[in-house]
Amino acid sequence: MHQIIKDANSRMDKTIEALRLELAKVRTGKATTALLDSVKVDYYGVMTPINQVGNITVLDPHTLSITPWDKSMVQVIDKAILEANLGFNPISDGTNLKIPIPALTEERRKDFVKLVKKFGEDSKVAIRNVRRDANDHLKREEKNKKMSEDELKSSEDEVQKLTDQHIKQIDEILKHKEKEILEV
């Protein structure tokens, strides 16, 4: 019985983590290394995440820097960033790349807020699906006489509390991300 609730909590936590990872990719107008997480580089025939071919650092709120471990990769990394269509134009000095992060227009900011809200809504749906699955398992346990009606009721209440906590957490994450996007 308690295993069902633990599993539900774990699945809800994973949903929150997936939301955080998704939101890290959404530009806020500030430089973060997560902006390049989706970029893959052709590293001697193997498509490799950019953070595995060089050191990525934030120089200032509007500039990223990449120092490739293999200096011959500068052009390849430059090309990969351009092809990723992120709206970045890397500047190469032959051994390093500087990536200015362009400021977001008001319209782009609003588009990003809509996107963030969609991610949040999808996450809430996922949380509610976990709640439904957990409650279905609990009802089966009660039907199979593995728990009493009172235990079922208290377990369902516990699942609802978990659901409410996770939905509240999503709302807080979204509020913070929206504020981050809308700050000029």
Side-chain angles (χ1 to χ4, degrees):
M1 160 179 91
H2 294 295
Q3 188 58 42
I4 293 169
I5 294 169
K6 278 185 191 166
D7 289 347
N9 188 39
S10 171
R11 288 174 59 199
M12 289 180 185
D13 286 347
K14 286 178 183 159
T15 300
I16 298 280
E17 191 52 38
L19 174 66
R20 286 183 198 278
L21 289 172
E22 208 53 52
L23 292 181
K25 297 175 192 167
V26 176
R27 280 186 47 202
T28 60
K30 291 189 179 103
T32 72
T33 58
L35 293 173
L36 298 175
D37 282 353
S38 62
V39 180
K40 301 266 191 278
V41 178
D42 183 351
Y43 189 66
Y44 300 105
V46 178
M47 292 312 281
T48 309
I50 197 165
N51 62 1
Q52 292 180 17
V53 296
N55 190 26
I56 304 172
T57 54
V58 178
L59 292 181
D60 61 52
H62 302 289
T63 315
L64 290 173
S65 170
I66 302 176
T67 306
W69 292 308
D70 177 349
K71 300 301 176 206
S72 68
M73 291 299 294
V74 173
Q75 297 309 103
V76 178
I77 293 171
D78 189 340
K79 183 179 173 206
I81 292 169
L82 290 171
E83 287 175 354
N85 242 353
L86 298 170
F88 302 149
N89 290 313
I91 302 163
S92 169
D93 68 5
T95 55
N96 296 308
L97 288 160
K98 282 196 170 92
I99 303 160
I101 307 300
L104 295 173
T105 64
E106 192 60 35
E107 189 179 330
R108 273 311 267 158
R109 288 177 194 275
K110 287 178 181 165
D111 288 346
F112 282 139
V113 168
K114 281 182 197 164
L115 183 64
V116 163
K117 285 182 178 175
K118 181 191 176 310
F119 289 148
E121 204 43 56
D122 292 349
S123 297
K124 289 178 183 180
V125 168
I127 297 284
R128 291 184 196 111
N129 287 340
V130 171
R131 175 187 61 193
R132 187 194 61 228
D133 290 349
N135 285 338
D136 288 350
H137 281 20
L138 290 169
K139 285 175 186 155
R140 252 183 264 130
E141 293 281 300
E142 192 256 346
K143 186 179 170 194
N144 295 334
K145 307 282 187 238
K146 291 183 180 171
M147 72 167 62
S148 70
E149 212 173 301
D150 288 345
E151 288 174 316
L152 171 65
K153 181 73 184 123
S154 81
S155 294
E156 285 178 337
D157 288 346
E158 213 172 314
V159 169
Q160 186 58 49
K161 279 183 195 153
L162 276 179
T163 303
D164 294 343
Q165 287 169 2
H166 284 84
I167 296 277
K168 184 175 183 236
Q169 204 176 347
I170 288 171
D171 287 337
E172 288 169 8
I173 291 168
L174 294 178
K175 197 170 98 180
H176 176 76
K177 187 67 176 185
E178 280 181 46
K179 184 176 178 263
E180 216 178 275
I181 290 171
L182 294 173
E183 279 178 358
V184 180

